[in-house]
Amino acid sequence: MMRPNVIAAGHRALRFPRHCIGGMAGTSFKHEHLPAILEEGVRRGFFEVHAENYMGEGGPPHRALTRIRQDYPVSIHGVCMSIGGPQPLDKQHLARFKTLIERYEPALVSEHLAWSTHETTYFNDLLPLPYNAATMQHVADHIDEVQETIGRQILLENPSSYLTFTESTMTETAFIRELARRTGCGLLLDVNNVFVSATNLGTSALGYLADYPLEFVREIHLAGHAVQSDENGEPLLIDSHDGPVCDAVWALYETVLARTGPIATLVEWDSAIPDWPTLTQEAAAAQAILDRTVSSDRRIRRAAV
């Protein structure tokens, strides 16, 4: 089996500049922001796009992304691979995914620990999984298939959860740790998902993070969520990506960075899209925390000398 950081034979030379995005904050790329981005001039940061929005051959989406890619690193984030689904991966979808990666040479590639298809039906959601040996085997097989096809490592994102399965025989953190160990995939830690799941399931977000395999994390997601109530009047959080990052998620983010050091961080905002300055303010807040983390790391190293 091919493992991460091994590039497939014959992989073509880069057409775009290489970028290191570690310790850098980025934002979701929305086409309506393109004029403002270009008018502002090149700034520090990176952009992330959903793979499925760019799987056509050409047209305005590709013209916009090609222009952005000339100046910025990008991260490609898949949402429809259904890596957690029981049926085989869609070969055509996987081929388009590979073509997109080859076209834009992203700094990072990621997908979700979830399922989203049944036979030929695609659901507009990322649905949770039972955590047991059978699920482990087919998810690991799917990750191996994706990594072998694209010739590079993918990052797997932890889900936002609204229920648990009686069929589960291990915790989510143990399941994710074993997947990373078995397949060599990296991890995308969505801190908002941690907070949403802990609130909905009545568990501890800090406890989850204490057991999470942070050594495999290569990217972090931050986002806003919607606050509702269930039929019993208990809080129900929806991973909606339609507002600013809340204070509790910012606090969890700082807790993570205190253990890991700076990691590339993406602020997601996928509906009720704000103007460009509002989105850049969220990214600037993340960048400020990352920069403080770098300064703190340097002080610790100097003190240890």
Side-chain angles (χ1 to χ4, degrees):
M1 291 292 185
M2 181 178 294
R3 292 311 183 198
N5 302 320
V6 178
I7 304 302
H11 190 75
R12 61 183 175 77
L14 295 176
R15 293 176 298 135
F16 295 109
R18 287 185 179 272
H19 295 273
C20 178
I21 66 172
M24 189 181 290
T27 64
S28 302
F29 174 60
K30 305 302 179 187
H31 64 86
E32 56 262 49
H33 292 151
L34 181 60
I37 295 169
L38 297 180
E39 182 179 355
E40 181 183 57
V42 178
R43 57 192 288 275
R44 185 183 181 193
F46 70 99
F47 289 97
E48 186 165 278
V49 296
H50 288 172
E52 289 72 16
N53 291 333
Y54 297 89
M55 285 188 171
E57 289 296 323
H62 281 293
R63 287 197 293 272
L65 185 55
T66 298
R67 179 64 188 87
I68 284 295
R69 185 64 182 90
Q70 291 171 8
D71 295 328
Y72 293 95
V74 299
S75 175
I76 289 181
H77 188 50
V79 296
C80 292
M81 190 72 71
S82 200
I83 279 178
Q87 64 194 53
L89 297 181
D90 184 320
K91 296 296 192 288
Q92 291 184 335
H93 184 91
L94 183 53
R96 289 193 291 266
F97 192 64
K98 177 184 179 181
T99 298
L100 182 65
I101 291 165
E102 292 177 342
R103 182 170 186 167
Y104 290 104
E105 291 141 352
L108 299 169
V109 178
S110 55
E111 249 291 352
H112 295 80
L113 178 59
W115 65 280
S116 56
T117 62
H118 178 64
E119 297 179 347
T120 61
T121 300
Y122 280 78
F123 299 103
N124 189 28
D125 208 342
L126 297 162
L127 302 167
L129 304 168
Y131 299 129
N132 54 41
T135 305
M136 175 73 69
Q137 185 60 57
H138 74 249
V139 173
D141 288 345
H142 287 170
I143 293 172
D144 281 337
E145 182 179 357
V146 173
Q147 292 186 142
E148 289 174 2
T149 299
I150 68 175
R152 58 181 291 176
Q153 183 185 55
I154 64 166
L155 311 182
L156 193 67
E157 179 181 342
N158 56 293
S160 55
S161 298
Y162 308 91
L163 53 84
T164 57
F165 289 88
T166 57
E167 295 89 346
S168 291
T169 58
M170 63 183 79
T171 65
E172 182 172 287
T173 51
F175 187 90
I176 290 172
R177 179 183 295 104
E178 178 60 17
L179 274 177
R181 186 201 64 79
R182 185 180 298 195
T183 68
C185 74
L187 298 179
L188 191 169
L189 175 61
D190 191 311
V191 180
N192 183 64
N193 286 358
V194 172
F195 182 72
V196 165
S197 297
T199 301
N200 291 339
L201 302 179
T203 58
S204 167
L206 287 173
Y208 181 99
L209 292 173
D211 194 47
Y212 193 85
L214 294 174
E215 65 272 21
F216 297 113
V217 175
R218 302 292 177 265
E219 184 180 0
I220 291 173
H221 274 184
L222 303 172
H225 55 260
V227 180
Q228 301 180 11
S229 299
D230 64 17
E231 65 274 14
N232 298 317
E234 298 295 327
L236 176 66
L237 305 187
I238 306 298
D239 183 32
S240 54
H241 299 182
D242 61 354
V245 180
C246 76
D247 290 344
V249 171
W250 284 121
L252 291 173
Y253 176 53
E254 295 200 55
T255 297
V256 170
L257 293 187
R259 292 177 55 193
T260 64
I263 292 176
T265 300
L266 191 283
V267 177
E268 296 183 288
W269 203 315
D270 294 321
S271 59
I273 306 298
D275 59 15
W276 177 238
T278 299
L279 193 51
T280 58
Q281 287 172 9
E282 290 286 283
Q287 189 64 65
I289 296 171
L290 285 165
D291 291 344
R292 289 201 301 272
T293 303
V294 171
S295 298
S296 177
D297 284 351
R298 288 172 179 166
R299 287 194 300 271
I300 292 171
R301 286 197 296 269
R302 284 198 298 268
V305 173

